[in-house]
Amino acid sequence: MRLDRNDHLWEPTAEWVAAQFRDEHVAKVVLVRRFSDTPEPGSNDERVWESAEFFTLTMADAGKGNRS
Amino acid sequence: MSTTEWIGRRVRGSPATWSRFWFSSASASTLTAMRVALGVASLGWAVSIAPDLRTFYFDDGLIPSPNYADYRLGLFQWLTSDAAVVVAWAAMVVAAISLIVGKGVRLGAPLLWITTLTLQQGAATALNAGDLLLRIWTAYFALFAVLTPSRFLDVALFGRPSSGATPDRVWPTAPVWLIRLAQIQLTVIYPTTVIAKLDGDTWREGTAALYPLGLQDFERFWLPAFMRENLVVGNLMTWFTLAAEISLPFLLWTRRTRWFGIVVGILLHGGFDYTMRLGFFFPAVVIGYLAFVRASEMDRFLTWAHGRGSKLLTRSTPPEPCDEIVNL
C-alpha cells in the first residue's frame, strides 16, 4: 500500500492503525515509508535505510489526511 | 518421400491430430488428482486469509471500498456488507471441500471460482502471481464442471476397486481437454517470464537471483550466507533459472524428457518457494505439473498409494481382544 499508485488506501490504512490503539486516544497517525537500495551483489556494501513520511492523519481532522 | 508429400500428409492428418489432442478420453485419475490438489490449495488459501478477513475486507478494514475497474468482476461490487464477506469465505471453504472429496463438484467448482475471484478482487493489492494462477485453475475447472457430466467429476481420489480379484483401482474415462488446457497454461508461463527477464540487465549479467535473496521481508527459510553473496553462485542460480525456463516447454512436451522436465520444474519452483515467500505459487504450479502425468502413470501411482495406505491402516489397528477361551 505504500506505493503512490495505492494512495487511495493510505487514509483507510491510517484509520485502521488508529483503530488498533483505540483505548490509547490516538491523536495522529503518520505513515512512514522505509526504503533502501539493495547493495550490488558482491560489493559487500552495507544496506543503508532511509525513511520518509508520506501520509499524516490527524484524528480531529479524520477524512482530511495531510499528504507529505 | 519428398518434402511436399510429407507436408501434404501432415496437413491432411492435422484435423485428426487436433481432434485427438483435445477431444480424446483417458482415465480420470490425473484429472481427479488435479481436482483434489486444487481443492487442497484453495482450502489452504481460504484458511490463510481467515485471520485477515476483517483487516482486509470489513468496512473498518484496510480496503473498505475496492476499486473495480470496468474489466474487473467480483461479488463485493454489489454485496458490500461485512456479512457478505463471511458468507463468501464460508462458501469458498465448502466449495474447496467439495473438490477434495469429489461430491457436488458440478456446483462446487463454479462456486470455488466465483468466491476465489470475489475474495481476490476485493483485496487485489494484496495479491501475487500464485493467487492469480490459483484463480486461473478455478476458472478452468468451473468451465469444465459446467460442460461435463457429473460422472467424470464426482470421483474419489483413489477411484473405486476394479471388478476383478486384483487390488487395482479404476477411474471413469473422461475427456482430456481440461488437462490439455492446463498443460498449455503452464507452458506459456515460461516463455512469457523469460521474455520479461531478458529485458533486465541483471538477468543477462547473472546477478538477478541474488537481489531477492537479499530482501529480508521476502526471506522464508535459512540460506547459507555465500548463496546470497557469492557472485559465482549467483551467476549459476540466475543462468540455471533462465536455462530451465527456456527449456521446460521443450522438455515437458517431448516424450523422452517429460519426466525430466517435471522433476526440473518441481525442483525449480520448490527452490523458489524454499528461499522466498511466494504465497501459493508452488502449490498452484504443482497443479499444472500434475497435468503432465499420464493417466496410466497416475493410475499406477494412486493404486500403489491406496494399497500402501490400506496396509498402514490395517497395521496400526490393534487386533480385537478375544473374549472366549478356546480349549483345544
Side-chain angles (χ1 to χ4, degrees):
Chain A
M1 52 72 61
R2 67 192 182 283
L3 302 175
D4 285 348
R5 68 164 183 259
N6 293 326
D7 61 354
H8 60 284
L9 297 177
W10 294 350
E11 188 170 331
T13 301
E15 287 170 354
W16 180 83
V17 172
Q20 307 309 302
F21 301 94
R22 196 166 282 142
D23 298 340
E24 298 178 33
H25 304 292
V26 176
K28 189 166 82 168
V29 176
V30 180
L31 301 183
V32 180
R33 184 181 281 154
R34 289 187 76 232
F35 55 95
S36 77
D37 285 331
T38 301
E40 200 169 304
S43 67
N44 292 324
D45 289 346
E46 285 292 310
R47 184 181 283 274
V48 181
W49 287 98
E50 297 177 68
S51 61
E53 297 177 3
F54 63 96
F55 184 82
T56 303
L57 178 73
T58 308
M59 296 317 288
D61 299 334
K64 297 174 192 166
N66 302 314
R67 285 148 201 225
S68 47
Chain B
M1 187 194 309
S2 71
T3 311
T4 320
E5 278 176 332
W6 185 83
I7 292 172
R9 192 173 286 185
R10 291 279 161 183
V11 170
R12 278 193 300 279
S14 57
T17 308
W18 173 264
S19 185
R20 198 168 52 244
F21 179 81
W22 284 106
F23 304 114
S24 59
S25 296
S27 161
S29 56
T30 298
L31 190 68
T32 306
M34 289 170 67
R35 192 204 70 216
V36 172
L38 177 61
V40 170
S42 299
L43 185 62
W45 192 89
V47 169
S48 76
I49 63 159
D52 297 320
L53 278 183
R54 178 170 193 156
T55 305
F56 280 126
Y57 299 98
F58 280 20
D59 278 342
D60 59 356
L62 292 171
I63 314 169
S65 339
N67 179 23
Y68 284 96
D70 291 343
Y71 57 87
R72 289 176 58 195
L73 183 70
L75 295 180
F76 297 157
Q77 273 174 291
W78 306 286
L79 307 171
T80 53
S81 71
D82 293 346
V85 173
V86 177
V87 170
W89 180 85
M92 184 180 178
V93 169
V94 171
I97 292 171
S98 130
L99 263 67
I100 295 170
V101 299
K103 299 277 182 206
V105 174
R106 197 156 204 197
L107 182 65
L111 185 64
L112 184 65
W113 167 67
I114 193 69
T115 50
T116 304
L117 181 74
T118 295
L119 287 162
Q120 291 197 358
Q121 295 288 31
T125 316
L127 297 185
N128 67 24
D131 303 324
L132 302 183
L133 187 54
L134 211 52
R135 193 168 85 205
I136 289 171
W137 296 142
T138 64
Y140 289 169
F141 260 90
L143 193 65
F144 186 76
V146 168
L147 297 173
T148 309
S150 292
R151 66 178 183 279
F152 303 135
L153 304 167
D154 292 351
V155 180
L157 176 60
F158 294 111
R160 57 182 172 75
S162 66
S163 51
T166 60
D168 288 350
R169 312 289 299 178
V170 289
W171 290 261
T173 303
V176 298
W177 63 263
L178 175 66
I179 291 172
R180 299 295 187 215
L181 213 51
Q183 289 171 332
I184 291 170
Q185 175 64 57
L186 183 78
T187 305
V188 297
I189 290 173
Y190 295 109
T192 314
T193 189
V194 167
I195 290 166
K197 282 171 179 163
L198 288 178
D199 224 17
D201 291 339
T202 55
W203 282 99
R204 293 197 301 269
E205 289 167 4
T207 55
L210 292 171
Y211 284 97
L213 298 182
L215 299 176
Q216 290 160 351
D217 291 351
F218 224 38
E219 198 176 297
R220 196 197 287 276
F221 295 122
W222 176 85
L223 263 188
F226 76 91
M227 288 193 74
R228 284 196 296 268
E229 293 159 9
N230 188 291
L231 275 179
V232 176
V233 174
N235 287 166
L236 290 174
M237 288 192 295
T238 305
W239 289 328
F240 168 75
T241 302
L242 273 181
E245 289 179 342
I246 289 168
S247 50
L248 273 169
F250 301 103
L251 295 175
L252 289 170
W253 287 94
T254 304
R255 189 173 299 174
R256 284 186 182 176
T257 57
R258 182 174 49 91
W259 267 106
F260 181 61
I262 293 172
V263 171
V264 168
I266 298 282
L267 286 177
L268 180 76
H269 291 287
F272 291 161
D273 207 54
Y274 176 85
T275 51
M276 295 175 280
R277 295 175 192 221
L278 298 176
F280 280 78
F281 195 78
F282 184 63
V285 91
V286 165
I287 295 168
Y289 277 94
L290 283 176
F292 281 95
V293 178
R294 286 205 187 119
S296 56
E297 295 163 343
M298 191 62 86
D299 283 0
R300 281 200 299 276
F301 172 73
L302 290 177
T303 298
W304 172 83
H306 182 267
R308 291 290 299 174
S310 303
K311 270 184 194 164
L312 283 174
L313 282 176
T314 315
R315 203 176 296 165
S316 63
T317 310
E320 291 290 322
C322 183
D323 292 335
E324 293 178 29
I325 298 172
V326 181
N327 292 317
L328 294 174

Short mmCIF file of all heavy atoms in Angstrom, two decimals, chain B residues 276-310:
data_model
loop_
_atom_site.label_atom_id
_atom_site.label_comp_id
_atom_site.label_asym_id
_atom_site.label_seq_id
_atom_site.Cartn_x
_atom_site.Cartn_y
_atom_site.Cartn_z
N MET B 276 12.04 -17.98 -0.92
CA MET B 276 11.25 -16.73 -0.91
C MET B 276 9.80 -16.98 -0.52
O MET B 276 9.26 -18.04 -0.81
CB MET B 276 11.29 -16.10 -2.31
CG MET B 276 12.66 -15.65 -2.73
SD MET B 276 12.67 -15.04 -4.42
CE MET B 276 12.73 -16.53 -5.37
N ARG B 277 9.20 -16.00 0.09
CA ARG B 277 7.78 -16.10 0.45
C ARG B 277 6.95 -15.79 -0.78
O ARG B 277 6.70 -14.62 -1.08
CB ARG B 277 7.44 -15.10 1.55
CG ARG B 277 8.14 -15.38 2.84
CD ARG B 277 7.84 -14.27 3.81
NE ARG B 277 8.73 -14.39 4.95
CZ ARG B 277 8.33 -14.19 6.20
NH1 ARG B 277 7.10 -13.85 6.45
NH2 ARG B 277 9.18 -14.32 7.19
N LEU B 278 6.52 -16.82 -1.45
CA LEU B 278 5.79 -16.62 -2.71
C LEU B 278 4.33 -17.03 -2.57
O LEU B 278 3.68 -17.34 -3.58
CB LEU B 278 6.46 -17.42 -3.83
CG LEU B 278 7.90 -17.01 -4.15
CD1 LEU B 278 8.50 -17.92 -5.20
CD2 LEU B 278 7.95 -15.56 -4.64
N GLY B 279 3.84 -17.05 -1.36
CA GLY B 279 2.43 -17.37 -1.16
C GLY B 279 2.09 -18.75 -1.68
O GLY B 279 2.78 -19.73 -1.39
N PHE B 280 1.09 -18.83 -2.53
CA PHE B 280 0.59 -20.12 -3.01
C PHE B 280 1.08 -20.46 -4.41
O PHE B 280 0.47 -21.25 -5.10
CB PHE B 280 -0.94 -20.14 -2.93
CG PHE B 280 -1.43 -20.41 -1.54
CD1 PHE B 280 -1.43 -19.41 -0.58
CD2 PHE B 280 -1.84 -21.67 -1.16
CE1 PHE B 280 -1.83 -19.66 0.71
CE2 PHE B 280 -2.24 -21.94 0.13
CZ PHE B 280 -2.24 -20.93 1.07
N PHE B 281 2.19 -19.85 -4.82
CA PHE B 281 2.65 -20.12 -6.18
C PHE B 281 3.07 -21.58 -6.36
O PHE B 281 2.74 -22.21 -7.37
CB PHE B 281 3.80 -19.20 -6.57
CG PHE B 281 4.06 -19.20 -8.05
CD1 PHE B 281 3.24 -18.49 -8.90
CD2 PHE B 281 5.08 -19.95 -8.61
CE1 PHE B 281 3.43 -18.51 -10.28
CE2 PHE B 281 5.28 -19.99 -9.98
CZ PHE B 281 4.46 -19.27 -10.81
N PHE B 282 3.76 -22.14 -5.37
CA PHE B 282 4.24 -23.51 -5.52
C PHE B 282 3.09 -24.51 -5.65
O PHE B 282 3.04 -25.28 -6.63
CB PHE B 282 5.19 -23.88 -4.39
CG PHE B 282 5.79 -25.25 -4.53
CD1 PHE B 282 6.61 -25.56 -5.61
CD2 PHE B 282 5.52 -26.25 -3.61
CE1 PHE B 282 7.15 -26.83 -5.76
CE2 PHE B 282 6.05 -27.52 -3.76
CZ PHE B 282 6.87 -27.81 -4.83
N PRO B 283 2.13 -24.53 -4.69
CA PRO B 283 1.02 -25.47 -4.89
C PRO B 283 0.26 -25.22 -6.18
O PRO B 283 -0.19 -26.17 -6.84
CB PRO B 283 0.12 -25.26 -3.67
CG PRO B 283 0.67 -24.13 -2.90
CD PRO B 283 2.04 -23.84 -3.40
N ALA B 284 0.14 -23.95 -6.58
CA ALA B 284 -0.60 -23.65 -7.81
C ALA B 284 0.14 -24.20 -9.03
O ALA B 284 -0.48 -24.76 -9.94
CB ALA B 284 -0.79 -22.14 -7.95
N VAL B 285 1.46 -24.09 -9.03
CA VAL B 285 2.21 -24.56 -10.20
C VAL B 285 2.26 -26.09 -10.22
O VAL B 285 2.28 -26.71 -11.30
CB VAL B 285 3.60 -23.88 -10.21
CG1 VAL B 285 4.64 -24.68 -9.48
CG2 VAL B 285 4.07 -23.61 -11.63
N VAL B 286 2.24 -26.71 -9.05
CA VAL B 286 2.25 -28.18 -8.99
C VAL B 286 0.99 -28.74 -9.67
O VAL B 286 1.04 -29.78 -10.34
CB VAL B 286 2.36 -28.67 -7.53
CG1 VAL B 286 2.01 -30.16 -7.42
CG2 VAL B 286 3.78 -28.44 -7.01
N ILE B 287 -0.12 -28.04 -9.54
CA ILE B 287 -1.36 -28.48 -10.20
C ILE B 287 -1.12 -28.56 -11.72
O ILE B 287 -1.55 -29.50 -12.38
CB ILE B 287 -2.52 -27.51 -9.87
CG1 ILE B 287 -2.84 -27.58 -8.39
CG2 ILE B 287 -3.76 -27.83 -10.71
CD1 ILE B 287 -3.76 -26.47 -7.89
N GLY B 288 -0.40 -27.57 -12.25
CA GLY B 288 -0.08 -27.59 -13.68
C GLY B 288 0.83 -28.76 -14.04
O GLY B 288 0.66 -29.40 -15.07
N TYR B 289 1.80 -29.06 -13.18
CA TYR B 289 2.70 -30.19 -13.46
C TYR B 289 1.97 -31.53 -13.39
O TYR B 289 2.31 -32.47 -14.11
CB TYR B 289 3.90 -30.17 -12.51
CG TYR B 289 4.98 -29.24 -13.02
CD1 TYR B 289 5.04 -27.92 -12.59
CD2 TYR B 289 5.88 -29.67 -13.98
CE1 TYR B 289 5.99 -27.06 -13.10
CE2 TYR B 289 6.83 -28.82 -14.50
CZ TYR B 289 6.88 -27.51 -14.05
OH TYR B 289 7.82 -26.66 -14.58
N LEU B 290 0.94 -31.62 -12.52
CA LEU B 290 0.16 -32.87 -12.46
C LEU B 290 -0.45 -33.18 -13.82
O LEU B 290 -0.63 -34.34 -14.18
CB LEU B 290 -0.94 -32.75 -11.41
CG LEU B 290 -0.52 -32.87 -9.94
CD1 LEU B 290 -1.72 -32.63 -9.03
CD2 LEU B 290 0.09 -34.23 -9.66
N ALA B 291 -0.78 -32.12 -14.57
CA ALA B 291 -1.40 -32.32 -15.88
C ALA B 291 -0.47 -33.06 -16.84
O ALA B 291 -0.92 -33.64 -17.83
CB ALA B 291 -1.82 -30.98 -16.48
N PHE B 292 0.83 -33.03 -16.57
CA PHE B 292 1.78 -33.71 -17.45
C PHE B 292 2.02 -35.17 -17.05
O PHE B 292 2.80 -35.88 -17.69
CB PHE B 292 3.11 -32.95 -17.49
CG PHE B 292 3.05 -31.76 -18.40
CD1 PHE B 292 2.77 -30.50 -17.89
CD2 PHE B 292 3.24 -31.90 -19.76
CE1 PHE B 292 2.68 -29.40 -18.73
CE2 PHE B 292 3.15 -30.80 -20.61
CZ PHE B 292 2.88 -29.55 -20.10
N VAL B 293 1.38 -35.60 -15.97
CA VAL B 293 1.49 -37.02 -15.57
C VAL B 293 0.41 -37.79 -16.35
O VAL B 293 -0.78 -37.46 -16.24
CB VAL B 293 1.28 -37.20 -14.05
CG1 VAL B 293 1.36 -38.67 -13.67
CG2 VAL B 293 2.32 -36.39 -13.28
N ARG B 294 0.83 -38.76 -17.14
CA ARG B 294 -0.14 -39.51 -17.95
C ARG B 294 -1.10 -40.28 -17.06
O ARG B 294 -0.75 -40.70 -15.96
CB ARG B 294 0.60 -40.51 -18.82
CG ARG B 294 1.30 -39.85 -19.96
CD ARG B 294 1.49 -40.82 -21.11
NE ARG B 294 2.31 -40.17 -22.10
CZ ARG B 294 3.49 -40.60 -22.49
NH1 ARG B 294 3.97 -41.70 -22.00
NH2 ARG B 294 4.17 -39.93 -23.39
N ALA B 295 -2.31 -40.48 -17.59
CA ALA B 295 -3.35 -41.16 -16.80
C ALA B 295 -2.90 -42.56 -16.38
O ALA B 295 -3.14 -42.97 -15.24
CB ALA B 295 -4.64 -41.22 -17.60
N SER B 296 -2.21 -43.27 -17.27
CA SER B 296 -1.77 -44.63 -16.91
C SER B 296 -0.78 -44.59 -15.76
O SER B 296 -0.79 -45.45 -14.87
CB SER B 296 -1.14 -45.31 -18.13
OG SER B 296 -0.08 -44.53 -18.62
N GLU B 297 0.10 -43.56 -15.76
CA GLU B 297 1.07 -43.43 -14.66
C GLU B 297 0.36 -43.04 -13.36
O GLU B 297 0.69 -43.55 -12.29
CB GLU B 297 2.10 -42.35 -15.03
CG GLU B 297 2.97 -42.73 -16.22
CD GLU B 297 3.69 -41.54 -16.84
OE1 GLU B 297 3.29 -40.37 -16.57
OE2 GLU B 297 4.62 -41.76 -17.61
N MET B 298 -0.61 -42.14 -13.48
CA MET B 298 -1.35 -41.72 -12.28
C MET B 298 -2.18 -42.88 -11.73
O MET B 298 -2.28 -43.06 -10.52
CB MET B 298 -2.25 -40.52 -12.62
CG MET B 298 -2.86 -39.85 -11.42
SD MET B 298 -1.65 -39.13 -10.28
CE MET B 298 -1.39 -37.53 -11.00
N ASP B 299 -2.75 -43.70 -12.64
CA ASP B 299 -3.49 -44.91 -12.21
C ASP B 299 -2.59 -45.77 -11.32
O ASP B 299 -2.99 -46.20 -10.23
CB ASP B 299 -3.89 -45.77 -13.42
CG ASP B 299 -5.08 -45.20 -14.17
OD1 ASP B 299 -5.59 -44.14 -13.77
OD2 ASP B 299 -5.49 -45.82 -15.18
N ARG B 300 -1.39 -46.03 -11.85
CA ARG B 300 -0.47 -46.92 -11.11
C ARG B 300 -0.07 -46.30 -9.79
O ARG B 300 -0.05 -46.97 -8.76
CB ARG B 300 0.79 -47.19 -11.96
CG ARG B 300 0.57 -48.23 -13.04
CD ARG B 300 1.90 -48.81 -13.51
NE ARG B 300 2.78 -47.80 -14.07
CZ ARG B 300 2.74 -47.37 -15.33
NH1 ARG B 300 1.85 -47.87 -16.15
NH2 ARG B 300 3.58 -46.46 -15.76
N PHE B 301 0.23 -44.99 -9.79
CA PHE B 301 0.67 -44.34 -8.56
C PHE B 301 -0.44 -44.35 -7.51
O PHE B 301 -0.21 -44.69 -6.35
CB PHE B 301 1.12 -42.90 -8.84
CG PHE B 301 1.40 -42.13 -7.57
CD1 PHE B 301 2.53 -42.40 -6.82
CD2 PHE B 301 0.49 -41.18 -7.10
CE1 PHE B 301 2.76 -41.73 -5.62
CE2 PHE B 301 0.72 -40.51 -5.92
CZ PHE B 301 1.86 -40.78 -5.18
N LEU B 302 -1.65 -43.98 -7.93
CA LEU B 302 -2.74 -43.89 -6.95
C LEU B 302 -3.13 -45.28 -6.45
O LEU B 302 -3.47 -45.45 -5.27
CB LEU B 302 -3.95 -43.16 -7.55
CG LEU B 302 -3.76 -41.66 -7.79
CD1 LEU B 302 -4.98 -41.05 -8.46
CD2 LEU B 302 -3.48 -40.92 -6.48
N THR B 303 -3.06 -46.28 -7.33
CA THR B 303 -3.34 -47.66 -6.89
C THR B 303 -2.31 -48.08 -5.85
O THR B 303 -2.64 -48.64 -4.81
CB THR B 303 -3.30 -48.63 -8.11
OG1 THR B 303 -4.32 -48.23 -9.01
CG2 THR B 303 -3.52 -50.07 -7.70
N TRP B 304 -1.04 -47.77 -6.14
CA TRP B 304 0.04 -48.09 -5.20
C TRP B 304 -0.17 -47.34 -3.87
O TRP B 304 -0.07 -47.94 -2.80
CB TRP B 304 1.39 -47.69 -5.82
CG TRP B 304 2.53 -47.81 -4.87
CD1 TRP B 304 3.24 -48.93 -4.56
CD2 TRP B 304 3.11 -46.74 -4.09
NE1 TRP B 304 4.21 -48.64 -3.63
CE2 TRP B 304 4.15 -47.31 -3.33
CE3 TRP B 304 2.84 -45.39 -3.95
CZ2 TRP B 304 4.92 -46.56 -2.45
CZ3 TRP B 304 3.61 -44.63 -3.08
CH2 TRP B 304 4.64 -45.21 -2.33
N ALA B 305 -0.48 -46.03 -3.95
CA ALA B 305 -0.66 -45.22 -2.73
C ALA B 305 -1.84 -45.73 -1.92
O ALA B 305 -1.77 -45.80 -0.68
CB ALA B 305 -0.87 -43.75 -3.11
N HIS B 306 -2.91 -46.15 -2.60
CA HIS B 306 -4.07 -46.67 -1.90
C HIS B 306 -3.70 -47.97 -1.18
O HIS B 306 -4.07 -48.19 -0.02
CB HIS B 306 -5.22 -46.91 -2.89
CG HIS B 306 -6.46 -47.40 -2.23
ND1 HIS B 306 -6.75 -48.75 -2.09
CD2 HIS B 306 -7.48 -46.74 -1.63
CE1 HIS B 306 -7.90 -48.88 -1.45
NE2 HIS B 306 -8.37 -47.68 -1.16
N GLY B 307 -2.93 -48.82 -1.88
CA GLY B 307 -2.51 -50.10 -1.28
C GLY B 307 -1.65 -49.86 -0.05
O GLY B 307 -1.84 -50.48 0.99
N ARG B 308 -0.69 -48.92 -0.17
CA ARG B 308 0.20 -48.61 0.96
C ARG B 308 -0.60 -48.06 2.13
O ARG B 308 -0.40 -48.46 3.27
CB ARG B 308 1.25 -47.57 0.56
CG ARG B 308 2.27 -48.05 -0.41
CD ARG B 308 3.22 -49.06 0.17
NE ARG B 308 3.99 -48.51 1.28
CZ ARG B 308 4.81 -49.22 2.04
NH1 ARG B 308 4.96 -50.51 1.82
NH2 ARG B 308 5.48 -48.66 3.04
N GLY B 309 -1.54 -47.14 1.82
CA GLY B 309 -2.36 -46.54 2.88
C GLY B 309 -3.20 -47.59 3.58
O GLY B 309 -3.29 -47.60 4.82
N SER B 310 -3.79 -48.50 2.80
CA SER B 310 -4.62 -49.55 3.40
C SER B 310 -3.79 -50.43 4.31
O SER B 310 -4.21 -50.79 5.41
CB SER B 310 -5.24 -50.42 2.30
OG SER B 310 -5.98 -49.62 1.45
#
